[in-house]
């Protein structure tokens, strides 16, 4: 195996000191043009790549930001990552993206990895409903910002969407269309987002003078298309099938739509469907999907900016106050919910 080229090898090849090579890499304006060109030629010829880990150890600060989300298979979190990456890149940082797969155990492992890597900070969408993983991670004194989750009972920053308002938007739309029997295809009950969207749905029913019995919940273990197809099959087996379905995210809604299509159930004529997130696939579905839009890219960017502000405050170059940013959702109406009752 070939040995890696070090800074001493470059100095020897260029006939200069190690300090001069370091200056060429880190402070090129301080080095004479001819010397700088000679050192750069040696770097190019030897294929030298500086050790970022060594640089971080000397500086005591990482150039990497961690991002841990629930499901990178969900385009919503891809958009969150895009926003975070854009803000991080503008600040000269990179982003290490990890996927907890909605598992508290995997979340704990990745948070431990972030601590070992001494990342600059972490953007986190929690999977552990107990909060124990966060409590353990807090001991490492690494700043973090909660994403798509309100920082309840903590002092950390958070950027989220008002999911109670979003759930109300979805079900108010269905009630206004004449539906009086609505299913809620939810997800893991421990997720705050699932809980809050249900609260919003019940609030919309109450506004219309309808009790909680008008909302039938079909829980799922995951928030993906396969879980949506399973929920759709259960829905088809109901003797008094609801006339409309509100799904906790678009992947579930697309799965329900697939199950209805396979069974010959017309959407929206026989069953209206509303999703949540407004991912790109929502508008491109066989029946374009009505959905509650979350500003995912904005959410990721704002969370990264808060984290950067907090880490800069640690150096004394700026001030930072923890705050909770709550963005507002928007209902995007498409054909999947437009039939009149």
């Amino acid at each position: 195996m070939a040995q890696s080229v070090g800074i001493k090898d470059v100095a020897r090849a260029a006939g200069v000191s190690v300090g001069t090579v370091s200056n060429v890499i880190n402070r090129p304006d301080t080095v004479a043009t001819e010397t700088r060109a000679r050192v750069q030629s040696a770097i190019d010829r030897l294929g030298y790549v500086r050790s970022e880990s060594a640089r971080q150890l000397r500086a005591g600060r990482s150039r990497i930001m961690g991002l841990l989300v629930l499901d990178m298979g969900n385009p919503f979190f891809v958009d969150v990552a895009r926003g975070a990456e854009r803000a991080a890149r503008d600040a000269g940082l990179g982003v290490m993206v990890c996927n907890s797969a909605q598992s508290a155990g995997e979340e704990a492992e990745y948070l431990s990895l972030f601590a070992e890597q001494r990342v600059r900070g972490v953007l986190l969408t929690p999977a552990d409903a107990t909060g124990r993983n966060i409590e353990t991670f807090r001991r490492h004194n690494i700043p973090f910002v909660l994403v798509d989750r309100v920082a309840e009972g903590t002092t950390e920053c958070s950027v989220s969407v008002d999911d109670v308002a979003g759930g109300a938007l979805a079900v108010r739309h269905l009630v206004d269309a004449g539906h009086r029997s609505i299913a809620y295809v939810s997800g893991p009950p421990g997720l705050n987002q699932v809980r809050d969207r249900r609260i919003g749905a019940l609030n919309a029913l109450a506004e219309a003078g309808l009790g909680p019995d008008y909302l039938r919940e079909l829980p799922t273990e995951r928030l993906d298309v396969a879980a949506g197809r399973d929920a759709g099959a259960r829905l088809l087996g109901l003797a008094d099938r609801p006339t409309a379905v509100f799904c906790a995210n678009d992947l579930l809604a697309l799965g329900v739509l697939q199950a209805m299509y396979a069974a010959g159930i017309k959407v929206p004529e026989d069953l209206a469907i509303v999703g949540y997130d407004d991912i790109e696939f929502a508008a491109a579905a066989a029946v374009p999907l009505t959905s509650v839009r979350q500003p995912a890219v904005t959410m990721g960017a704002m969370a990264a900016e808060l984290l950067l502000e907090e880490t800069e405050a640690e150096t004394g170059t700026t001030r930072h106050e923890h705050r909770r940013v709550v963005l507002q959702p928007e209902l995007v109406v498409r054909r999947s919910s437009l039939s009149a009752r």
Side-chain angles (χ1 to χ4, degrees):
M1 181 182 296
Q3 292 184 342
S4 61
V5 176
I7 193 170
K8 292 182 179 178
D9 299 309
V10 174
R12 188 180 306 112
V16 298
S17 69
V18 169
T20 298
V21 176
S22 178
N23 285 336
V24 169
I25 295 170
N26 298 298
R27 296 176 295 278
D29 292 342
T30 66
V31 183
T33 302
E34 182 181 346
T35 303
R36 187 168 67 238
R38 191 163 73 250
V39 171
Q40 189 59 55
S41 175
I43 288 173
D44 295 340
R45 187 169 68 254
L46 297 175
Y48 168 75
V49 178
R50 71 174 180 177
S51 171
E52 180 61 22
S53 59
R55 193 200 67 81
Q56 290 176 15
L57 285 172
R58 290 191 300 271
R61 307 189 80 209
S62 171
R63 294 180 60 248
I64 298 297
M65 177 188 299
L67 171 63
L68 181 55
V69 300
L70 293 177
D71 180 11
M72 280 305 293
N74 185 338
F76 166 75
F77 287 112
V78 175
D79 285 343
V80 169
R82 283 175 50 215
E85 190 274 337
R86 184 181 306 163
R89 186 178 64 243
D90 289 344
L93 303 183
V95 178
M96 180 191 299
V97 182
C98 298
N99 176 26
S100 71
Q102 302 173 38
S103 164
E106 292 191 35
E107 176 182 84
E109 291 176 4
Y110 279 123
L111 288 175
S112 178
L113 175 64
F114 289 153
E116 291 173 7
Q117 295 297 315
R118 300 172 61 182
V119 297
R120 178 77 64 93
V122 174
L123 306 178
L124 170 64
T125 302
D128 177 20
T130 70
R132 284 192 292 265
N133 285 343
I134 289 178
E135 286 302 315
T136 300
F137 185 69
R138 191 178 279 115
R139 299 171 190 165
H140 297 290
N141 294 318
I142 296 175
F144 65 91
V145 173
L146 299 182
V147 184
D148 195 31
R149 169 83 172 270
V150 177
E152 298 173 344
T154 70
T155 59
E156 282 77 24
C157 290
S158 65
V159 181
S160 63
V161 166
D162 188 341
D163 283 318
V164 174
L169 282 174
V171 172
R172 189 180 298 121
H173 168 68
L174 293 172
V175 169
D176 289 346
H179 296 281
R180 294 297 181 270
S181 178
I182 302 171
Y184 176 44
V185 176
S186 57
L191 292 180
N192 288 26
Q193 297 91 329
V194 169
R195 178 203 66 193
D196 289 348
R197 292 166 197 178
R198 179 177 182 274
I199 291 172
L202 293 174
N203 288 349
L205 289 175
E207 291 172 6
L210 305 173
D213 291 344
Y214 286 83
L215 187 72
R216 181 177 301 187
E217 186 168 0
L218 297 175
T220 63
E221 293 184 358
R222 301 186 63 79
L223 293 164
D224 55 24
V225 174
R229 284 196 297 266
D230 175 71
R234 283 184 280 153
L235 190 67
L236 289 167
L238 297 176
D240 53 342
R241 189 171 70 230
T243 61
V245 179
F246 167 43
C247 298
N249 77 358
D250 285 341
L251 296 182
L252 289 173
L254 292 171
V256 171
L257 180 61
Q258 288 180 5
M260 296 304 109
Y261 181 82
I265 302 298
K266 294 181 180 179
V267 175
E269 292 83 0
D270 300 326
L271 184 75
I273 302 176
V274 176
Y276 205 104
D277 290 339
D278 195 33
I279 62 175
E280 184 177 355
F281 299 136
V287 179
L289 185 67
T290 294
S291 184
V292 178
R293 175 178 294 166
Q294 298 198 81
V297 174
T298 299
M299 192 183 306
M302 292 186 71
E305 288 164 2
L306 284 173
L307 185 60
L308 289 166
E309 181 185 289
E310 182 174 355
T311 59
E312 289 303 314
E314 292 180 340
T315 68
T317 58
T318 185
R319 296 182 61 185
H320 173 77
E321 293 182 3
H322 290 308
R323 53 192 182 273
R324 301 175 184 177
V325 178
V326 180
L327 305 173
Q328 292 302 308
E330 172 190 0
L331 182 70
V332 180
V333 177
R334 299 190 181 94
R335 192 157 65 89
S336 71
S337 65
L338 284 181
S339 67
R341 302 303 302 172

